[in-house]
Amino acid sequence: MPTPRPAARARSPGAGPDRKGRAPRADMEKQMPSATPDSVRSDLPDARGHYGRFGGRFSPEALIAALDQVAQEWDKAKADPAFRAELDALLRDYTGRPSLLTEAARFAEHCGGARVLLKREDLNHTGSHKINNVLGQALLTKRMGKTRVIAETGAGQHGVATATACALMGLDCVIYMGEEDTRRQALNVARMRLLGAEVVPVSVGSRTLKDAINEAFRDWVANVETTHYLFGTVAGPHPFPALVRDLHYVIGEEARAQVLDLTGRLPDAVAACVGGGSNAMGIFAAFVGDPGVALYGFEAGGEGVQTARHAAAITGGAPGVFHGARTYVLQDEHGQTLPSHSISAGLDYPAVGPEHAWLADTGRVSYRAVTDAEAMEAFRLLSRTEGIIPAIESAHALAGVRRIGEQLGPDGVIVVNLSGRGDKDVDTAATYFGLVDGEGEEQA
Amino acid sequence: MNERTNGGTGAAPGGADEQGATSRTALQAALARAEADGRAALIGYLPAGFPDPESSIKVIEAMVEGGCDVIEVGLPYSDPTMDGPTIQRAADTALSAGTTPADVLRVVQATAATGAAALVMTYWNPVERYGPARFCADLAAAGGSGVITPDLIPEEAEEWFAATDAAGLDRIFLVAPSSSDERLRLTARASRGFVYAASLMGVTGTRAQVAGTAEKLVARTRSAIPGGGPAVCVGLGISNRSQAAEVAAYADGVIAGAGFCQRVLDAPDLETGISAVRSFAEELALGVRDGRS
Ligand SMILES: Cc1ncc(COP(=O)(O)O)c(C=O)c1O
């Protein structure tokens, strides 16, 4: 396999890191008042789920009552100390939070020498950030008096996390998964079944994640009395983008305190991969009000955004309405959804959460595409330099960190959300790097 | 809710259109004719381009010959979350045949030429992409009466109100058994032509029985606007004469879709499919007449 250099130098106009911003937070804010004022508003979304021109509810009327119920119940639960306490206890005793912030010194040597701090969501139970959202929504399901949970999954991470929470809480669980993905991720199908979930292969449309979501919506409308749709990312109709963001906020909240603790200051940059955008929203949300912290979202560039084979909705898509929200979507001239591609199943989605669309438009967050090849190179690099095998999704953020680090140089501090571990990706990596059948890996 | 949209409820059908006070859309005329006949209107759905653009026109002509008063011309979409397997397959077939919005408008034109009222049924993104105002202007020019938008709720429809008003088109929103009284009022007020009452909580497709929820929903929708709102037509799951009769007893219109698609899908060739479609329309046309006798 070729090992290309990072293709482009990311430098965000207006939101870039300030090399001199070494001071503690109060000083930094004085030096860098440049962030778009709108971007630090904490009152988004509005009452109808809008983030500027994005978000909202483009859903069948039949689901509006259920969406209202979820929104209202979440508002109540958020303010309920008993709910908070129950969720916090689960996050601590079941998930293993707080997750670590690990300095990656050897990896950093390949990132222009900037300090690289890994937010270790890979260490959570079930192996990714997904569990944060799932436990919260499973508790919410019980609060609403519902007994059945449905969810979509692409790679299987959200499905496994959902099946896990349902096992823990005694909820019936049905997971929709594109037929194509059930084949690619057969082991995760077995995991979900072991956990007692029913896995339904979806054989319509493109047979991938977007079709699994379509099928879950169809199930939901028919069974909404008993069933909660445990949506897996910050996309979909209101209130899902806000609900899922809120449940992942813990990532950023911890990371912000940890980086202050470790370095005595805020980071210059925070980076995350963006599929639907939940791990990114979770970490960004805690830093979005810090104008001196540059935020970077890395989308799946597949074989390159100039080709037809990528999943970079912001970088390579156009505004539209998809899965219940106005946001950036990969679509053709007639508004038909285009198939997405990424080596990482968890990023293989033709749209993105509406808050990201808003953050992109305001310029507060810089979104860039990372190709399959760049991500795989970073995947191997982290494995070899740190002994940590990341999820291929997370490897997109790591590849982005290499670019940011080269701009920042040795004074820079970068926090990157390591959203998941790479156990599920060993097959893909073995094929990619030619590690099977005793073939040696080609040298980097 | 935007007050100006209230004009849609029984007032000038053309909305902002100067001539609105005197002109009725073909849809409104068809509903009025059925009402005058003492029966419910029969409304048939078919995706444009199913099984291909030319053939879909022939299928629609057979639906009209068989007795459909109104045709919903579907704009096939890649992600039809409100549709069950039959209509999904039909829409997929239409997309594979390369059907575009321009084809949809051509099918609308051919539909209007049969004398039936032509509506477009479409998910929102293709309209947004086309441009709502341009879509409405082109649809009106093709002889269309209005648009049904299953994933657009009135709260998100500000631009849509303006576009449909400017073109003098009816706009049909949906209500469901789960809709609150408040939402029924909002939706009925926003609708013009008729309100589409989803008979049950679920996706499109034929069912063995009409859901018991339908009659109550129609009554609730009617009483949501004291003094009378738009007509209320019922769809989802209606697939034979007796079901059509049952619904016709309380609704202004009976909507059938999957049954037509299924007959085309099941037929060994187009001719056989078309004659099955014609007989199915005839059967339902008897049903909408049985209903009030
Ligand atoms: C480890 C990991 N990271 C990231 C993602 C992408 O999701 P999101 O963009 O919502 O964080 C997934 C999805 O499966 C995942 O498993």
Side-chain angles (χ1 to χ4, degrees):
Chain A
M1 275 296 152
T3 56
R5 302 288 305 156
R9 303 218 148 191
R11 180 76 191 173
S12 115
D18 184 329
R19 280 153 218 264
K20 283 170 282 186
R22 304 302 106 181
R25 187 179 176 207
D27 282 343
M28 289 181 73
E29 282 182 351
K30 256 182 274 154
Q31 287 171 16
M32 277 166 286
S34 63
T36 317
D38 270 343
S39 67
V40 297
R41 281 169 57 185
S42 55
D43 57 341
L44 291 179
D46 69 14
R48 286 179 181 160
H50 295 113
Y51 305 84
R53 63 180 169 136
F54 296 106
R57 272 184 188 166
F58 294 82
S59 295
E61 170 63 24
L63 287 177
I64 299 298
L67 293 168
D68 277 342
Q69 185 192 17
V70 175
Q72 283 155 15
E73 206 58 44
W74 176 236
D75 278 345
K76 280 191 245 159
K78 261 195 304 198
D80 176 357
F83 180 89
R84 233 13 284 182
E86 193 176 1
L87 181 56
D88 286 349
L90 278 172
L91 292 177
R92 184 186 63 233
D93 304 331
Y94 191 72
T95 305
R97 303 206 71 91
S99 68
L100 301 176
L101 189 73
T102 302
E103 177 139 22
R106 273 170 43 75
F107 181 77
E109 289 168 17
H110 302 263
C111 305
R115 291 182 77 177
V116 176
L117 307 174
L118 309 173
K119 182 58 178 162
R120 301 291 305 280
E121 294 300 300
D122 62 315
L123 296 177
N124 293 339
H125 181 43
T126 71
S128 80
H129 69 291
K130 297 282 180 189
I131 193 79
N132 303 325
N133 167 46
V134 160
L135 288 173
Q137 285 200 54
L139 284 181
L140 203 62
T141 304
K142 295 216 298 187
R143 239 182 115 94
M144 291 187 293
K146 295 185 174 182
T147 55
R148 178 173 176 267
V149 163
I150 56 174
E152 81 290 349
T153 199
Q157 289 304 99
H158 177 58
V160 167
T162 302
T164 298
C166 290
L168 177 68
M169 299 188 199
L171 296 163
D172 293 335
C173 182
V174 176
I175 304 292
Y176 289 95
M177 191 169 183
E179 198 177 49
E180 207 51 43
D181 291 332
T182 59
R183 263 196 296 273
R184 290 195 285 197
Q185 307 284 337
L187 217 54
N188 267 343
V189 174
R191 279 170 89 192
M192 291 183 268
R193 288 185 174 144
L194 268 176
L195 291 160
E198 181 189 345
V199 179
V200 181
V202 175
S203 57
V204 295
S206 63
R207 302 169 188 218
T208 59
L209 178 59
K210 85 172 174 71
D211 307 283
I213 293 175
N214 291 341
E215 206 57 19
F217 274 121
R218 293 180 187 118
D219 178 317
W220 203 25
V221 74
N223 299 294
V224 70
E225 287 237 341
T226 59
T227 301
H228 177 59
Y229 182 6
L230 207 161
F231 202 72
T233 189
V234 291
H238 178 64
F240 287 116
L243 167 61
V244 177
R245 172 199 64 196
D246 291 351
L247 287 168
H248 283 302
Y249 181 72
V250 65
I251 304 172
E253 193 179 33
E254 287 175 8
R256 195 172 182 285
Q258 287 166 323
V259 67
L260 284 172
D261 216 35
L262 187 72
T263 68
R265 68 177 185 91
L266 286 169
D268 298 291
V270 172
C273 67
V274 179
S278 64
N279 86 90
M281 248 356 280
I283 197 161
F284 290 169
F287 293 96
V288 86
D290 298 316
V293 180
L295 305 177
Y296 292 94
F298 292 99
E299 300 192 290
E303 295 172 7
V305 278
Q306 73 287 353
T307 73
R309 289 177 55 76
H310 65 84
I314 295 176
T315 323
V321 163
F322 185 64
H323 284 161
R326 182 174 286 115
T327 187
Y328 283 95
V329 191
L330 300 183
Q331 54 183 317
D332 71 10
E333 58 181 317
H334 301 306
Q336 306 290 347
T337 313
L338 289 170
S340 54
H341 163 81
S342 170
I343 191 165
S344 132
L347 303 183
D348 199 348
Y349 180 63
V352 67
E355 191 164 6
H356 287 291
W358 159 253
L359 289 168
D361 270 18
T362 63
R364 177 64 187 98
V365 181
S366 306
Y367 295 87
R368 301 281 185 268
V370 162
T371 61
D372 288 351
E374 291 171 286
M376 291 312 288
E377 175 56 22
F379 175 93
R380 179 166 60 180
L381 187 62
L382 192 79
S383 302
R384 291 189 167 185
T385 55
E386 300 290 338
I388 297 170
I389 301 177
I392 298 176
E393 289 80 5
S394 320
H396 285 70
L398 294 166
V401 163
R402 298 185 65 191
R403 297 184 199 163
I404 303 168
E406 276 168 30
Q407 294 159 27
L408 290 176
D411 291 338
V413 174
I414 306 165
V415 173
V416 54
N417 198 0
L418 196 70
S419 57
R421 65 180 184 226
D423 304 37
K424 68 182 175 60
D425 297 316
V426 168
D427 247 12
T428 306
T431 306
Y432 187 89
F433 291 117
L435 306 178
V436 273
D437 291 333
E439 284 171 38
E441 180 184 359
E442 22 173 312
Q443 289 306 298
Chain B
M1 194 59 246
N2 208 322
E3 284 305 314
R4 73 192 150 74
T5 65
N6 294 356
T9 63
D17 185 352
E18 280 275 72
Q19 300 159 327
T22 49
S23 72
R24 280 200 301 206
T25 63
L27 169 65
Q28 291 166 13
L31 292 170
R33 268 199 310 277
E35 180 65 30
D37 281 359
R39 64 175 176 90
L42 177 59
I43 304 172
Y45 164 90
L46 195 85
F50 172 64
D52 62 70
E54 286 319 308
S55 306
S56 67
I57 292 172
K58 292 188 190 140
V59 176
I60 286 171
E61 284 166 352
M63 291 164 73
V64 177
E65 284 159 26
C68 287
D69 303 292
V70 178
I71 299 293
E72 294 176 10
V73 177
L75 193 158
Y77 177 54
S78 51
D79 295 275
T81 48
M82 281 284 284
D83 287 304
T86 305
I87 291 180
Q88 282 175 49
R89 262 219 284 160
D92 273 355
T93 307
L95 286 175
S96 304
T99 306
T100 65
D103 293 318
V104 174
L105 292 171
R106 248 180 349 102
V107 175
V108 164
Q109 197 158 23
T111 302
T114 65
L119 304 176
V120 166
M121 169 95 153
T122 179
Y123 289 88
W124 184 246
N125 197 48
V127 177
E128 181 146 311
R129 189 72 178 174
Y130 198 96
R134 188 165 76 96
F135 185 82
C136 287
D138 290 356
L139 178 57
S145 289
V147 188
I148 306 173
T149 48
D151 60 350
L152 184 70
I153 58 173
E155 289 96 321
E156 299 286 357
E158 194 137 335
E159 193 183 357
W160 187 233
F161 292 137
T164 46
D165 283 350
L169 290 177
D170 288 326
R171 53 172 178 261
I172 292 123
F173 293 101
L174 278 73
V175 293
S178 60
S179 302
S180 65
D181 288 346
E182 191 192 333
R183 292 198 59 78
L184 291 180
R185 195 172 322 114
L186 169 81
T187 309
R189 281 203 168 138
S191 301
R192 181 168 55 213
F194 66 87
V195 181
Y196 189 129
S199 69
L200 49 79
M201 295 295 288
V203 294
T204 58
T206 58
R207 306 285 200 286
Q209 290 193 309
V210 177
T213 41
E215 184 168 6
K216 185 157 169 241
L217 177 60
V218 171
R220 288 177 61 225
T221 306
R222 288 219 176 98
S223 59
I225 302 185
V232 183
C233 300
V234 172
L236 294 197
I238 297 159
S239 50
N240 60 40
R241 174 175 176 172
S242 70
Q243 290 174 342
E246 188 186 333
V247 171
Y250 55 80
D252 298 305
V254 173
I255 306 169
F260 289 111
C261 297
Q262 194 65 55
R263 278 161 179 79
V264 176
L265 287 167
D266 288 348
D269 56 61
L270 187 63
E271 286 318 304
T272 318
I274 285 173
S275 71
V277 160
R278 189 182 295 103
S279 335
F280 182 51
E282 286 165 357
E283 182 190 335
L284 297 176
L286 292 172
V288 299
R289 286 162 174 83
D290 296 340
R292 309 248 183 105
S293 52

